[in-house]
Amino acid sequence: MADPVPLDLATLRRSCGHCSLRELCLPAGIGVNDLARLDEVVRRRRPLRRDERLFHHGDALSSIYVARNGAFKTVSLSEGGDERVVGFHLPGELMGLDALAGEGHRCEAVALDPAEVCEVPVDELAAVAAQLPGLQRQLMRVIGQSISLDRDHAEMLSRRHANERIALFLHGLGERLAHIGGSALQFRLAMSREDIASYLGLAIETVSRGFTRLQDDGVIAVAGRQVEVLDPVELARLAHGGEPQQPQPQQRRA
Amino acid sequence: MADPVPLDLATLRRSCGHCSLRELCLPAGIGVNDLARLDEVVRRRRPLRRDERLFHHGDALSSIYVARNGAFKTVSLSEGGDERVVGFHLPGELMGLDALAGEGHRCEAVALDPAEVCEVPVDELAAVAAQLPGLQRQLMRVIGQSISLDRDHAEMLSRRHANERIALFLHGLGERLAHIGGSALQFRLAMSREDIASYLGLAIETVSRGFTRLQDDGVIAVAGRQVEVLDPVELARLAHGGEPQQPQPQQRRA
DNA sequence: CGTGACATTGAAATGCGTCAAGATGAGTGG
DNA sequence: CCACTCATCTTGACGCATTTCAATGTCACG
């Protein structure tokens, strides 16, 4: 495909039909003809820089957004002016759904890395979805997945012990990365310890100690934001409420 | 109820157009003609007894449900077999949306009181919504509201202090009751302390102490499940992270 | 080589969970 | 009407996990 016109090529490559996320995102299960209809509605926004905001608290709902590259966090602003992380969003995951209630956005979406998003105007999406049953169904599915992620978050937060929350966080993040074609066992955290602490409802020091503890127990190897899962089985066990394995202090001989 | 033609009258009274929730629920903003289309889809289930379940964990998605009378809780079952309350549902609020992701229901809905629900088969709802833009829009709104409630729950759980969570819980519950025409200042809790504790990620004793503390501080009067908010301003302050007012130990005679 | 943001580690204070006992209230049967 | 029981709720005392405060360490970048 040596296309002489670079713009066309770029547009083509960025269409839903050629997107690596097409099986996970809105296009999933839609025929090629209908795909063109969807493509007309989706706007590819220019890349965002780190810390750039996709929408702000109080903004009226105009579009929903799908992370395409990079990672995002959504934060809600409490009265004190401090931010509280309510979600992390990997490629293929939706942002902005809280505004569907009609009161405007209740949170802000912030790029954690250089990132790209697809912007989907809700009115146009609704109009197209009404005509394409496949799209309507898939829209409901991705909304349901977003709700599921919120539930996972709530489940994390209702765990009493800090170490369980942390294990669950790492475990869940690994699974989400695997789902989009990454490795569940080796990845880089896009978010700071502070973001993680806020997301988990813990003090930042507690998160740090939790990571250290997991490393000492031989479950993970962590260096800054780089994480490697050494014992996925044990991590899953901890994430689901199991007690730490005392008998196995790997490579820790007194 | 010595009604000569019970079925017809009952059916009429129970139609969406005559429901007291019509301005909050799916019918909101829909014309009378279109309303009939919606009515054909909605099934009114027989009343549920206390502790009766609306759907079970793992059930495939067939319908979503709207609380009509009474109150519900949704619980997720952890590995240990113990339940964790993930939400409370008042009249007009949706249940079952977590199954939209396509993996079946992740939780169970349980009636806290004698209750009634409307059952809406999702396939039929989708078909009708595709034809009625007003319904489609309103469907998105109520889904958005459901997501907002999940966010409120997560916000509660991420509060560090037990008293903040409790204050936020009572404050939010009052607002929701006011929204459906009840009193925000005087109400009866449909759920047990145990349910509240599970919902807030606290021990039951901590919830009890929190209630007592709020009563001692003159913010509420609580007797079993009956709650009266004496100082709504202070309750709101506490809910939003304010420190307890020391200088005002109301009616505290040694 | 500084400087500042971010992360880790230590020591101390405390708020919450746990265990245990007591109180309350609803339902039942004498 | 009272005595009994069971479920639910409240209260107290204690230990411990987590927060808080403070110091140190690490890395990127000017």
Side-chain angles (χ1 to χ4, degrees):
Chain A
M1 313 277 175
D3 201 312
V5 188
L7 265 178
D8 284 345
L9 182 56
T11 303
L12 178 66
R13 187 180 294 130
R14 298 172 81 190
S15 75
C16 286
H18 291 76
C19 179
S20 62
L21 298 169
R22 65 182 174 281
E23 294 304 331
L24 303 171
C25 186
L26 288 173
I30 299 184
V32 271
N33 293 336
D34 295 346
L35 207 51
R37 302 281 314 278
L38 175 60
D39 255 321
E40 288 168 15
V41 181
V42 177
R43 297 178 192 159
R44 279 95 197 161
R45 279 183 53 130
R46 62 168 169 70
L48 287 94
R49 292 182 301 275
R50 192 168 184 280
D51 285 333
E52 204 170 342
R53 270 157 168 78
L54 203 48
F55 52 81
H56 292 80
H57 181 96
D59 285 356
L61 172 66
S62 63
S63 300
I64 59 176
Y65 302 87
V66 189
R68 199 177 195 286
N69 291 313
F72 293 82
K73 64 176 174 183
T74 41
V75 299
S76 79
L77 309 174
S78 72
E79 346 282 301
D82 49 328
E83 297 182 348
R84 207 171 271 281
V85 176
V86 298
F88 295 116
H89 306 268
L90 304 180
E93 294 173 357
L94 262 59
M95 294 172 281
L97 289 183
D98 60 344
L100 282 180
E103 312 284 327
H105 286 286
R106 294 185 51 186
C107 60
E108 320 207 325
V110 186
L112 292 168
D113 275 328
E116 285 181 359
V117 284
C118 296
E119 173 177 354
V120 192
V122 281
D123 290 341
E124 300 176 36
L125 177 61
V128 177
Q131 294 167 11
L132 307 179
L135 177 57
Q136 167 127 334
R137 197 157 35 237
Q138 181 61 13
L139 176 59
M140 287 299 167
R141 279 182 63 96
V142 293
I143 289 175
Q145 285 162 7
S146 177
I147 291 173
S148 268
L149 287 175
D150 281 355
R151 284 289 161 85
D152 291 338
H153 184 202
E155 193 190 331
M156 244 173 265
L157 288 172
S158 61
R159 293 298 173 89
R160 298 253 172 80
H161 294 285
N163 288 334
E164 284 182 46
R165 296 192 202 176
I166 293 166
L168 200 49
F169 169 71
L170 289 172
H171 180 72
L173 191 59
E175 290 202 328
R176 280 158 73 186
L177 288 165
H179 186 241
I180 57 172
S183 166
L185 300 182
Q186 206 165 5
F187 47 85
R188 188 187 149 275
L189 299 170
M191 65 295 286
S192 67
R193 297 288 190 273
E194 192 172 358
D195 287 334
I196 298 172
S198 173
Y199 183 66
L200 297 180
L202 297 172
I204 182 174
E205 295 94 330
T206 307
V207 174
S208 189
R209 279 186 255 264
F211 277 40
T212 304
R213 174 74 195 281
L214 285 172
Q215 179 160 248
D216 288 349
D217 290 352
V219 181
I220 64 172
V222 54
R225 297 191 174 187
Q226 194 64 35
V227 174
E228 185 176 0
V229 179
L230 302 174
D231 189 343
V233 176
E234 176 66 2
L235 182 63
R237 234 180 42 79
L238 293 171
H240 295 317
E243 293 299 305
Q245 292 271 32
Q246 206 59 318
Q248 290 255 45
Q250 327 224 139
Q251 69 186 58
R252 167 60 63 97
R253 6 221 93 189
Chain B
M1 310 290 169
D3 199 309
V5 193
L7 269 177
D8 283 345
L9 182 57
T11 304
L12 178 65
R13 188 180 293 132
R14 297 171 83 188
S15 74
C16 286
H18 291 77
C19 179
S20 62
L21 298 168
R22 62 183 177 281
E23 294 304 332
L24 304 169
C25 186
L26 288 173
I30 299 183
V32 271
N33 291 336
D34 294 347
L35 206 52
R37 301 283 312 280
L38 174 60
D39 254 320
E40 288 169 15
V41 180
V42 177
R43 296 178 194 160
R44 279 95 198 161
R45 279 182 53 131
R46 62 165 169 71
L48 286 95
R49 292 182 301 277
R50 192 168 185 281
D51 285 334
E52 204 170 343
R53 271 158 166 77
L54 204 49
F55 52 81
H56 292 80
H57 181 98
D59 285 356
L61 171 66
S62 63
S63 300
I64 59 177
Y65 302 86
V66 189
R68 199 175 194 287
N69 291 314
F72 293 83
K73 66 176 175 183
T74 40
V75 299
S76 79
L77 309 173
S78 73
E79 350 278 302
D82 49 329
E83 298 183 345
R84 208 172 269 283
V85 176
V86 299
F88 296 116
H89 306 267
L90 304 181
E93 295 173 355
L94 263 59
M95 294 173 280
L97 289 182
D98 60 343
L100 282 181
E103 311 284 330
H105 285 285
R106 293 184 52 187
C107 60
E108 319 206 325
V110 186
L112 291 170
D113 274 329
E116 286 180 358
V117 283
C118 296
E119 173 177 355
V120 191
V122 281
D123 290 342
E124 299 175 36
L125 177 61
V128 177
Q131 293 167 11
L132 308 179
L135 177 58
Q136 167 127 334
R137 197 157 36 237
Q138 181 62 13
L139 176 60
M140 286 299 166
R141 280 182 62 96
V142 294
I143 289 175
Q145 286 161 7
S146 176
I147 291 172
S148 269
L149 287 174
D150 280 357
R151 284 288 160 85
D152 291 338
H153 185 204
E155 193 189 330
M156 243 173 267
L157 288 172
S158 62
R159 293 297 173 88
R160 300 252 175 79
H161 293 284
N163 288 334
E164 285 181 46
R165 295 192 202 177
I166 294 166
L168 200 49
F169 169 71
L170 289 173
H171 180 71
L173 191 59
E175 291 202 328
R176 281 158 73 186
L177 288 165
H179 187 240
I180 56 172
S183 166
L185 300 181
Q186 206 164 5
F187 48 85
R188 188 186 150 277
L189 299 169
M191 64 293 287
S192 67
R193 297 286 191 275
E194 191 172 0
D195 287 335
I196 298 173
S198 173
Y199 183 66
L200 297 180
L202 297 172
I204 182 175
E205 295 93 330
T206 306
V207 173
S208 188
R209 279 186 255 266
F211 277 41
T212 304
R213 175 73 196 282
L214 284 172
Q215 178 159 247
D216 289 348
D217 290 353
V219 181
I220 64 173
V222 56
R225 297 191 173 187
Q226 195 64 36
V227 174
E228 184 176 1
V229 178
L230 301 174
D231 189 344
V233 176
E234 176 66 2
L235 182 63
R237 234 178 43 79
L238 293 171
H240 295 318
E243 293 298 308
Q245 293 271 32
Q246 207 58 320
Q248 292 255 42
Q250 329 224 136
Q251 66 187 59
R252 165 56 67 91
R253 49 208 72 188

